[in-house]
Amino acid sequence: MIQQRIAKSRLAIPIMIIYSIAVWGALLLSDIKFWHAIILFAVNLLLISEFNNRNALNRQHNRKICCVYIAIMTACPNLLTDVRAMLVQTCILIALTKLFQTYQRRDDMTHRYAAYLFLGIGIAAWPPLLLFVPLFWIGEAAYLMSFSIKAWGASMLGLLTPIWFILPVLMYLSKLHLIVDWTKNAVPNTEVIQSAFSNIGMSSNGNINMAYIVFIFVILIISIAKYIQLSYNDKIHVRMLHHFLIFIAIPTAVSLAVMYLLPLSTTQGLNCIIAILVAVISPAATQYITLTTSRTSGITTIILLIISIILTIGGIKYGI
């Protein structure tokens, strides 16, 4: 099968890296200011590889998660150039990497504090990320089996640490009004919500974003369904980590659908939600590509790859 040849090929990663460089080159030609987003993309690529390797999420072809990540991310150039979304994804990847180190370790407060510290940094960058904190707590209790009152205290300490550093700086600069602006970004006001409901289904993000969201949802559904079918092959530890990611992915996907149907453009949250979703579904998508051997899965993989390329070209041409 072509799919298995791609999965086992050592050339897959170099080819995808060259492909991503070509995409970034096209983006830089349109606007040189995107250079700082390249740094975040490279950092996130290294982080998702480390995230996979530390937790053995893909038991074969460990580095292929980088190929999947590049293919999904480059399909939406608007996401690549959104620095806030890329930063939120960075924080999520580090938080998950640290948090998964606490599996069945109730006394490991160091990794837990670090996980929620980066989650707190992500919240400072994009306030609605605060809504994901309860999901992390539930996931800890249900899948990592490491949650306790002491763990909750460590998580709160990590979440509050960025505020303790940011607040004195704002007071010194006499810019406390930024706190008010931050809370407004966290919860959209009544006028924004009413406007969203009056324009339901009339998203201003265009056909390219709509096609990309459908693309993401197809990958999400296929990957989760296939992983649940094949999860018996994994160790219990790895299975629980995947289930944690699926638990985060489902409400994230629902919120993405709501954000698109109710165009809350003033919250600037669509790309942030997509960035989080890409981070949590990449491991399951990698499992689907590398472990399935049927003709149907092979055809599906090739079709998704072709769609990814088409979306990339369309995004560069019309989306920037």
Side-chain angles (χ1 to χ4, degrees):
M1 292 294 295
I2 297 178
Q3 173 193 359
Q4 288 300 308
R5 290 181 182 177
I6 294 174
K8 295 178 180 179
S9 175
R10 295 183 179 181
L11 296 176
I13 294 178
I15 289 174
M16 291 306 295
I17 291 176
I18 293 172
Y19 174 71
S20 66
I21 292 173
V23 172
W24 275 112
L27 292 174
L28 287 174
L29 287 175
S30 64
D31 197 333
I32 194 65
K33 71 179 182 181
F34 294 145
W35 67 268
H36 45 270
I38 297 180
I39 299 174
L40 286 174
F41 176 79
V43 169
N44 290 352
L45 186 61
L46 293 174
L47 286 174
I48 201 164
S49 176
E50 181 67 14
F51 173 54
N52 179 75
N53 293 339
R54 282 202 179 190
N55 300 289
L57 295 175
N58 185 12
R59 58 183 178 273
Q60 297 178 12
H61 318 299
N62 288 338
R63 295 180 182 178
K64 292 303 182 289
I65 192 171
C66 295
C67 299
V68 173
Y69 175 79
I70 292 173
I72 299 176
M73 288 293 293
T74 54
C76 187
N78 285 333
L79 172 61
L80 287 177
T81 55
D82 189 330
V83 176
R84 176 182 294 190
M86 297 296 288
L87 178 59
V88 168
Q89 188 181 74
T90 302
C91 294
I92 285 290
L93 286 171
I94 297 176
L96 288 172
T97 302
K98 295 296 183 182
L99 193 62
F100 280 9
Q101 301 303 305
T102 67
Y103 177 76
Q104 290 186 339
R105 296 170 62 183
R106 291 176 178 266
D107 58 339
D108 189 349
M109 299 304 156
T110 303
H111 285 103
R112 182 172 288 103
Y113 170 79
Y116 285 94
L117 170 64
F118 281 96
L119 203 58
I121 294 172
I123 292 170
W126 185 57
L129 187 61
L130 182 64
L131 298 175
F132 283 79
V133 174
L135 295 178
F136 273 66
W137 288 337
I138 296 171
E140 270 196 86
Y143 302 109
L144 302 186
M145 294 168 285
S146 62
F147 194 69
S148 64
I149 298 298
K150 189 176 179 180
W152 178 83
S155 68
M156 289 300 297
L157 185 63
L159 291 170
L160 292 173
T161 299
I163 297 177
W164 294 342
F165 283 92
I166 294 172
L167 194 58
V169 174
L170 294 179
M171 291 178 64
Y172 176 76
L173 297 175
S174 300
K175 292 186 177 181
L176 288 177
H177 65 277
L178 294 177
I179 298 295
V180 179
D181 296 338
W182 184 89
T183 56
K184 289 181 178 179
N185 287 329
V187 181
N189 56 45
T190 306
E191 293 180 0
V192 171
I193 295 175
Q194 290 177 347
S195 174
F197 274 100
S198 65
N199 292 287
I200 185 168
M202 298 172 60
S203 176
S204 60
N205 294 284
N207 293 329
I208 296 297
N209 266 13
M210 180 60 185
Y212 183 73
I213 290 173
V214 173
F215 174 68
I216 286 287
F217 269 81
V218 170
I219 293 176
L220 173 71
I221 294 169
I222 292 175
S223 300
I224 291 178
K226 200 64 180 180
Y227 179 77
I228 292 174
Q229 181 183 354
L230 300 175
S231 61
Y232 65 89
N233 291 318
D234 280 330
K235 296 179 180 179
I236 294 177
H237 176 199
V238 176
R239 196 184 313 163
M240 297 301 275
L241 299 185
H242 273 286
H243 287 171
F244 184 103
L245 295 176
I246 293 171
F247 173 72
I248 298 295
I250 292 174
T252 305
V254 172
S255 63
L256 176 59
V258 172
M259 286 290 293
Y260 193 86
L261 292 175
L262 304 178
L264 302 175
S265 57
T266 57
T267 60
Q268 301 176 348
L270 189 67
N271 282 344
C272 292
I273 294 176
I274 294 175
I276 296 171
L277 192 57
V278 171
V280 297
I281 69 169
S282 289
T286 304
Q287 290 278 68
Y288 175 78
I289 293 173
T290 58
L291 299 182
T292 54
T293 57
S294 67
R295 177 174 297 181
T296 302
S297 64
I299 294 172
T300 303
T301 300
I302 299 303
I303 291 174
L304 289 174
L305 182 59
I306 294 172
I307 292 174
S308 172
I309 296 172
I310 293 173
L311 287 173
T312 302
I313 297 172
I316 293 174
K317 187 174 182 180
Y318 301 108
I320 299 300

